Amino acid sequence: MSNDAAGRHTRFVVLLAALVALGPLSIDGYLPGLPDLAGDLRASAAATQLTITACLAGLAIGQLIAGPLSDTYGRRRPLLAGLALYTIASALCAVAPDLRTFVGLRLVQGIGGAFGIVIANAMVRDRTSGTRTARLFSALTLITGLAPVFAPVLGGQLLRVTAWPGIFVALAVLGAVMLAASAAGLPETRPSASRQPLPAVVGQLLSDRVFTGYVLANGLVFAAMFAYISGSPFILQEIHGLSPQQYSAVFAVNAAGLIVAAGLIVAAQISGRLVARAGARVLLLAGLLGATAGGTTVLGAVLTRAPLPVLLIGLFVLVSSVGLVMPNAAAQALADHGGHAGSAAALLGFSQFMFGGALAPLAGAGGATDALPMGIIVAVLPALALLTLGVLTRSMPGDRTRRPARRGPAGHRRPRRHIDRRRAGIQ
């Protein structure tokens, strides 16, 4: 690869990473301001958490819209429209007069942000296949893991100079920057010849039992991570009496130091380097086992009222395991669906954010003084994900990204990557 081509590839990956980060930033950037937001809008802690649910639901629904549209009209036009919607909704969130209006705008903000997530994932599948797909998904997973860690830190620092509406002004500015950068720097990765009429492929995808197994496993583990993230502001600030800045600092030190540095960075990088040798499925199973162990540790710490470091150890294992689960589940799920990668990526993302949106309020079911609901959720969901994957993919023990080459008409071996490129519509 020439220096010029390497530079273009790097810019392409950076832009995709920024698009994928929009979702976590939208969810977590205002977490330190949740208690103040509840006071300003005269809402309870449980009602305020509906603002998280609305954004997650928007991110889920928006992906179901964006995926088929991008398969039909190409990637760029739907992406730019989604980013424009995100920017406008973020700005309006800053001036919402009441909780009901704010929740509605958060739903719209999530829908706009979803276009960036699903189209970025579809672009990965357009440009790569096999182990290269898993490696690039690992890089995007690293960004997805870093964003929830540092978003509350940035939000906490913004609260030093502004109130919670200022965070949404910052998100609107970020959306505008991403809109301009995508218009200028992202190429169209789905040629006109490869586009399909607006497909009714959801039923076809869901009838693939193995695809469904990977989608559900990925979504359940993602929901476990966000159940903790959504409950942490009230647990740490109300139960432990931390200020917004202290909360963001504790979140950063413990999550970034333990989860990211020792977990997501290591796990995602190991996933990228070892996938060609160990296989995406093996690494996925290892991640699910780790997430189950971590969630069980969290629940045990809550039940026994163990010191906070014990809880953080469980979270370290849980969230670091997500770095193995997400890229490899995505690579396995999309391996045989390059022809409609947008729709397949939409269902993958839908499972993440819909499960997360449905379960985030349950993490706060005990109010601001009880962490037990959160502990139950993070223990049960990874175990359920492991069980689901085992049942639905039991007849498919191999690695979808490492299948043997098929033979062509004349009996010659035809590399799998050529089949993948043909299915993805890449000449």
Side-chain angles (χ1 to χ4, degrees):
M1 184 183 292
S2 68
N3 290 337
D4 214 26
R8 286 196 302 271
H9 179 72
T10 299
R11 288 192 294 272
F12 177 73
V13 173
V14 168
L15 275 173
L16 294 188
L19 291 171
V20 168
L22 271 184
L25 287 173
S26 302
I27 296 165
D28 303 319
Y30 80 125
L31 290 181
L34 268 184
D36 289 340
L37 185 150
D40 290 347
L41 300 182
R42 295 183 291 280
S44 66
T48 303
Q49 287 188 327
L50 288 175
T51 66
I52 299 174
T53 300
C55 186
L56 287 169
L59 287 165
I61 295 168
Q63 293 192 61
L64 290 183
I65 300 171
L69 285 177
S70 72
D71 282 341
T72 302
Y73 300 108
R75 310 302 186 202
R76 275 177 55 87
R77 284 188 291 171
L79 173 62
L80 299 180
L83 289 173
L85 181 64
Y86 174 88
T87 300
I88 294 169
S90 298
L92 291 176
C93 280
V95 296
D98 53 54
L99 184 65
R100 179 177 298 179
T101 303
F102 185 77
V103 168
L105 289 170
R106 288 282 285 166
L107 177 69
V108 177
Q109 183 191 38
I111 291 173
F115 277 66
I117 296 171
V118 70
I119 292 175
N121 286 328
M123 284 180 164
V124 170
R125 187 59 185 82
D126 288 342
R127 285 290 186 90
T128 64
S129 62
T131 58
R132 289 185 62 200
T133 302
R135 288 189 178 118
L136 191 45
F137 275 133
S138 292
L140 297 185
T141 297
L142 176 58
I143 300 301
T144 304
L146 287 169
V149 172
F150 291 107
V153 181
L154 297 174
Q157 296 308 309
L158 279 174
L159 289 176
R160 289 182 176 274
V161 297
T162 185
W164 62 265
I167 296 174
F168 289 93
V169 172
L171 289 174
V173 172
L174 177 62
V177 170
M178 288 306 306
L179 176 59
S182 298
L186 272 184
E188 177 59 68
T189 61
R190 188 167 179 81
S192 299
S194 303
R195 299 174 193 175
Q196 308 165 354
L198 195 60
V201 297
V202 172
Q204 176 186 342
L205 289 167
L206 293 180
S207 67
D208 182 342
R209 179 167 54 85
V210 179
F211 171 81
T212 303
Y214 289 121
V215 167
L216 290 178
N218 184 64
L220 289 168
V221 171
F222 185 90
M225 181 176 69
F226 270 89
Y228 171 73
I229 290 174
S230 67
S232 64
F234 294 99
I235 291 171
L236 292 180
Q237 293 186 68
E238 300 296 332
I239 295 178
H240 295 280
L242 301 182
S243 69
Q245 288 74 33
Q246 289 172 326
Y247 159 74
S248 60
V250 169
F251 198 97
V253 170
N254 294 318
L258 295 178
I259 297 173
V260 177
L264 279 175
I265 289 177
V266 173
Q269 292 302 320
I270 287 177
S271 175
R273 291 170 186 167
L274 296 186
V275 66
R277 286 174 286 175
R281 182 178 169 84
V282 172
L283 295 172
L284 171 60
L285 290 173
L288 288 173
L289 289 170
T292 302
T296 302
T297 302
V298 170
L299 178 59
V302 171
L303 289 173
T304 60
R305 300 183 182 276
L308 186 59
V310 178
L311 179 66
L312 294 176
I313 290 173
L315 293 171
F316 157 68
V317 177
L318 171 68
V319 183
S320 66
S321 298
V322 175
L324 284 172
V325 171
M326 290 180 63
N328 294 300
Q332 293 283 85
L334 270 63
D336 288 341
H337 297 287
H340 35 71
S343 299
L347 285 174
L348 192 72
F350 176 83
S351 72
Q352 293 177 345
F353 291 105
M354 184 52 73
F355 288 169
L359 295 169
L362 298 181
T369 60
D370 189 357
L372 182 60
M374 181 204 72
I376 293 173
I377 290 172
V378 300
V380 169
L381 292 185
L384 184 59
L386 185 61
L387 176 63
T388 299
L389 187 73
V391 170
L392 292 181
T393 69
R394 65 183 182 276
S395 62
M396 197 72 184
D399 184 348
R400 282 185 150 190
T401 66
R402 303 175 69 219
R403 290 183 185 173
R406 295 181 178 179
R407 294 187 181 275
H412 299 292
R413 293 189 66 81
R414 183 168 58 191
R416 176 73 187 179
R417 64 185 179 88
H418 290 168
I419 298 172
D420 287 337
R421 289 173 64 84
R422 174 172 54 81
R423 289 183 178 178
I426 301 174
Q427 303 302 319

